Amino acid sequence: MTRTSSGEESPRGERSERVGVARGGSAESWSEASTVAGSGSGPVRPDIVADRPPRPVWSRDFALFFVARAMARLGDTMLPVALAAGLLRYGYGVGAVGVAMAASAAPFAGLVIFGGVIADRFSTRKLMIGADLVRLVAQAVAAALFFADHVILWQICVIGAANGVAGAVFQPGVASTVPRLAADVQGANGAIRIAESSAQLAGPALAGLLVAFASAGGVFVAHAATFAFSALCLLLLRPPPAAPGSRAHSGSFKADLAEGWREFRSSTWMWAVIVIWCVYMISVWGPTVPLVATEVVREHGPRAYGLINSALGAGTVIGGLVALRLRPRRMLRAGSFALFAFACFPASVGAGLGVAAMSAGALIAGAGTSLWGVMWATSVQTQVAPDVLNRIHAYDVAGSLAMMPVGQALAGPAAAALGADHVLLMAGVMTLVVSTALLSVPAIRNLVRADGPVLPGQREPVTRVRAGRGRPG
């Protein structure tokens, strides 16, 4: 057992060292910053340096990845509008919309851990391309069903499940791709957040127009096209070699899965966030998505829902822009404070405010959520060794989303029993509870960012390696 700088014991004698990606600073300041409070790491070794040319945020490959993420997000933000408007048109209610959304989220959350092991063993780019092609076909089938006026709930759920499985294969590779394409990990995450948020700004409005002037089937056609565009961008991508610290996985699938779990549970800050996030998903995000969609569409029409979601997207753009410049020493503390803002979204809808007020609440909520997302993603990508990053990210995603399908499936019964407005007001209150809980855990609020300045005379940042296992990428 080794004891970390925060006094915690790690279950293994070897731990991941950290990446330094910030530019500038002296060797003394680097040494002081190299011990990460609450992260389970020792000091970074100054003799381990990346043997690659500098990688700024913007390059041909990062631009392709940037566009791919923006297009995928564009389609994802159109889907709730299509499901809500389409299913309501065919006589289904709030519960059916929640079940349809849960049908995609449940297999994603249940299988993404296995996707992480697969991503650590095979080419992440090829896996992501294959996943995009599967979702392209699935959404094309959904479009055909809507155009043929043959919409049956179980069929929509099966299509959603296929999308969820493909997403489980796709998502783990995102975490390891970002550090390989850009040295400034926070800047890259901020840029991607802006891309995804810009897509969220346009997606619901575009979906609302397609539903109003065409049909829900047209939205599914557009969604399928976004996956085709994403797959094309990834096909043209030529990522650099794997980062130092990566290694071939010659062990069994089960052994790799267990290793990822050991690494995950040894970081208190990480599993504590996930536990708290499960509460958030079941009490806040899970019911908010289907209830806001159905309530706004029913009371104000699909165009109003598109406008409100576009305001949410605009807020996340603002949050991403702030994240490009804000460099807090304790990233998760700053992100937790920002998360308080999300309460404005469900509370404004639950209070029955007008479209303008709901849009303002969504704008504020989007900014806070976006800032939290960049802080969290950067923390994971810079605190975890490259050879387990896909698996750790998979555990992160699975834990984060595990309760979302439960919250979505319970949205209908809860709304029937308590009223949709009361459930949404309760979601606003629970947002405040969750944010307070994050700040109450010392390992979360005191986690120091892993970025460290470049050593004197070096052009590259110090790179994460697993102690005793580092090798050129």
Side-chain angles (χ1 to χ4, degrees):
M1 303 287 282
T2 58
R3 187 165 295 276
T4 69
S5 58
S6 62
E8 297 176 323
E9 288 189 341
S10 170
R12 308 189 340 161
E14 42 189 3
R15 287 294 301 146
S16 306
E17 313 240 47
R18 302 296 182 243
V19 172
V21 295
R23 302 287 179 181
S26 64
E28 290 78 8
S29 64
W30 170 84
S31 178
E32 179 182 355
S34 64
T35 299
V36 182
S39 65
S41 73
V44 181
R45 289 168 51 187
D47 58 312
I48 299 175
V49 181
D51 187 24
R52 287 179 291 178
R55 296 159 304 160
V57 170
W58 288 105
S59 64
R60 171 190 174 275
D61 287 326
F62 181 75
L64 286 169
F65 189 70
F66 177 91
V67 173
R69 298 307 303 142
M71 294 303 298
R73 185 59 178 163
L74 179 67
D76 290 342
T77 56
M78 295 168 66
L79 187 59
V81 180
L83 285 175
L87 291 177
L88 288 174
R89 176 189 171 190
Y90 285 92
Y92 294 102
V94 175
V97 176
V99 169
M101 292 182 178
S104 177
F108 177 86
L111 298 176
V112 70
I113 293 175
F114 303 100
V117 178
I118 294 171
D120 270 333
R121 300 171 72 95
F122 301 102
S123 166
T124 55
R125 186 177 70 92
K126 293 178 180 178
L127 289 172
M128 289 191 287
I129 292 171
D132 273 341
L133 294 178
V134 169
R135 291 183 288 187
L136 164 63
V137 173
Q139 294 308 87
V141 172
L145 293 177
F146 275 94
F147 281 130
D149 287 328
H150 185 75
V151 177
I152 300 175
L153 182 60
W154 73 264
Q155 294 175 339
I156 300 301
C157 289
V158 169
I159 293 171
N163 284 326
V165 172
V169 175
F170 183 99
Q171 186 60 37
V174 173
S176 61
T177 300
V178 172
R180 291 175 66 184
L181 298 182
D184 183 0
V185 180
Q186 182 179 334
N189 283 317
I192 291 173
R193 178 69 59 167
I194 292 171
E196 294 176 342
S197 302
S198 300
Q200 184 168 334
L201 181 65
L206 177 60
L209 290 174
L210 286 172
V211 169
F213 295 105
S215 67
V219 182
F220 282 97
V221 170
H223 194 194
T226 63
F227 288 125
F229 203 95
S230 173
L232 177 61
C233 289
L234 294 172
L235 184 64
L236 297 174
L237 193 67
R238 295 294 180 267
S246 299
R247 61 184 176 89
H249 293 268
S250 56
S252 68
F253 191 95
K254 182 178 179 181
D256 282 349
L257 191 65
E259 182 187 26
W261 171 249
R262 287 193 300 269
E263 293 288 338
F264 174 78
R265 72 179 185 180
S266 67
S267 296
T268 301
W269 62 272
M270 184 176 292
W271 64 255
V273 168
I274 299 307
V275 169
I276 295 171
W277 210 250
C278 286
V279 178
Y280 178 83
M281 282 295 173
I282 195 171
S283 63
V284 180
W285 188 254
T288 293
V289 173
L291 290 183
V292 167
T294 53
E295 286 300 298
V296 173
V297 169
R298 179 177 293 160
E299 296 295 328
H300 303 281
R303 294 187 191 181
Y305 179 67
L307 177 63
I308 291 169
N309 261 291
S310 294
L312 185 68
T316 52
V317 169
I318 294 172
L321 291 171
V322 172
L324 287 176
R325 300 188 62 84
L326 183 66
R327 304 279 171 153
R329 186 165 181 262
R330 290 178 172 83
M331 302 176 72
L332 296 185
R333 179 185 297 185
S336 298
F337 276 115
L339 193 61
F340 278 101
F342 187 79
C344 298
F345 185 36
S348 63
V349 179
L353 303 180
V355 174
M358 288 188 288
S359 298
L363 182 76
I364 297 170
T369 306
S370 179
L371 186 58
W372 160 263
V374 173
M375 297 297 113
W376 171 249
T378 304
S379 295
V380 173
Q381 291 164 358
T382 57
Q383 298 276 356
V384 177
D387 61 328
V388 292
L389 179 54
N390 289 322
R391 279 169 286 168
I392 292 295
H393 179 60
Y395 276 110
D396 159 28
V397 172
S400 298
L401 300 181
M403 293 295 105
M404 185 174 73
V406 177
Q408 290 175 332
L410 293 177
L418 304 174
D421 54 345
H422 289 94
V423 176
L424 288 170
L425 288 172
M426 189 178 300
V429 172
M430 286 304 300
T431 301
L432 306 181
V433 172
V434 166
S435 302
T436 302
L438 289 170
L439 291 169
S440 70
V441 179
I444 297 174
R445 70 171 184 267
N446 294 330
L447 181 71
V448 178
R449 66 184 303 131
D451 301 5
V454 180
L455 294 175
Q458 301 290 349
R459 297 178 61 202
E460 273 292 289
V462 175
T463 304
R464 294 166 292 197
V465 296
R466 179 174 307 286
R469 294 189 190 176
R471 64 179 179 82

